[in-house]
Amino acid sequence: MIKIEHWSDYRCPFCYIADAEFEDMMKTLGDTSDIVLINKAFELDPEAPKKVDYSTADVFSKKYGMSYDAAVRKLGMIDAYGRKVGIAGYNYSGAQPVNSFDAHRLTKYAEAEGVKGMYDRLMKAYFVDNVNIADFDTLVGIAVEMGLDKEETERMLRSDRYAEDVRRDEYEAYQARVASVPTYLFEDGRRFAGAGQAGQIKEVILELLQ
């Protein structure tokens, strides 16, 4: 059994891109039943609010000290990268840079309830649908779409359930010296960070499968 720990955040544009690259790589391996990808939560901006009146371009401009127009051009390049790897409608430029903590909690809840695909659905919600993934009504709507109970999901979001699970993932990232996402960590300590790493990850998998 090959276990790969995978830290990512819904706010991370290259996480979604790396996901698409990883998925395409896995399709080339044939039988992948011995490969387990363990998704773990990470927050790029734990202090982000749940509602914003500014754009991702505004965030880029401030964070990287570039003009607004330069930020727009940079985001356009990232959008093109996302579409190139097969993510239809990838639009990081239009994403709402809100807090991702409750989206991570919802993912943990879905996993506990045996509902698969929540991680991918929330990535699409952020980068393609450009909805507010910190808004409870939005999250409940997605949960119902994915097969979860409306009332139970509302109760979960209003509580602090699964907060400890998210914090545990983040503490494990700290212990493993994971400082950026996406990061893929093998049990033997080999790690790959960022998008464009699928080929190297495949080489390690093939080595371990021998």
Side-chain angles (χ1 to χ4, degrees):
M1 186 70 69
I2 299 174
K3 294 182 181 180
I4 308 171
E5 293 180 307
H6 168 228
W7 277 273
S8 66
D9 184 24
Y10 294 115
R11 287 278 306 273
C12 168
F14 295 108
C15 289
Y16 197 19
I17 289 170
D19 291 339
E21 294 173 330
F22 186 91
E23 183 177 341
D24 285 344
M25 178 274 292
M26 290 285 281
K27 291 176 182 176
T28 70
L29 293 175
D31 182 11
T32 58
S33 57
D34 287 336
I35 304 170
V36 178
L37 185 70
I38 305 170
N39 288 320
K40 291 182 175 290
F42 191 100
E43 291 177 275
L44 288 173
D45 186 4
E47 302 303 318
K50 292 189 176 185
K51 186 176 181 180
V52 296
D53 58 1
Y54 49 84
S55 68
T56 296
D58 291 322
V59 174
F60 250 63
S61 177
K62 181 178 180 180
K63 181 176 181 179
Y64 297 108
M66 60 176 68
S67 70
Y68 180 83
D69 288 344
V72 169
R73 289 194 294 272
K74 179 64 175 179
L75 291 172
M77 293 172 62
I78 298 173
D79 290 342
Y81 187 179
R83 293 191 292 269
K84 183 179 179 180
V85 300
I87 305 174
Y90 184 92
N91 183 29
Y92 181 39
S93 299
Q96 300 183 47
V98 295
N99 194 284
S100 62
F101 187 73
D102 289 320
H104 284 299
R105 286 203 300 129
L106 178 58
T107 305
K108 296 295 185 184
Y109 173 57
E111 290 173 353
E113 294 296 310
V115 173
K116 298 180 179 180
M118 183 61 76
Y119 172 83
D120 292 332
R121 180 63 186 90
L122 286 170
M123 280 291 190
K124 179 178 181 293
Y126 189 79
F127 290 103
V128 177
D129 303 332
N130 294 152
V131 297
N132 182 344
I133 61 166
D135 178 74
F136 280 7
D137 289 339
T138 298
L139 292 176
V140 170
I142 292 172
V144 172
E145 173 191 323
M146 297 298 292
L148 289 165
D149 181 79
K150 182 177 184 291
E151 287 73 22
E152 287 296 325
T153 302
E154 289 174 341
R155 278 193 286 271
M156 185 279 294
L157 288 171
R158 287 196 298 266
S159 73
D160 63 354
R161 290 170 59 193
Y162 301 100
E164 184 177 342
D165 299 75
V166 175
R167 296 301 184 211
R168 184 181 302 113
D169 283 355
E170 294 175 333
Y171 180 66
E172 289 175 0
Y174 170 77
Q175 288 184 309
R177 298 182 180 178
V178 173
S180 65
V181 287
T183 291
Y184 298 84
L185 178 63
F186 286 82
E187 289 185 281
D188 64 5
R190 282 182 282 187
R191 69 181 63 202
F192 300 90
Q197 305 296 316
Q200 296 182 67
I201 294 172
K202 180 179 179 179
E203 290 179 5
V204 175
I205 291 174
L206 291 174
E207 174 191 325
L208 294 174
L209 285 174
Q210 292 178 356

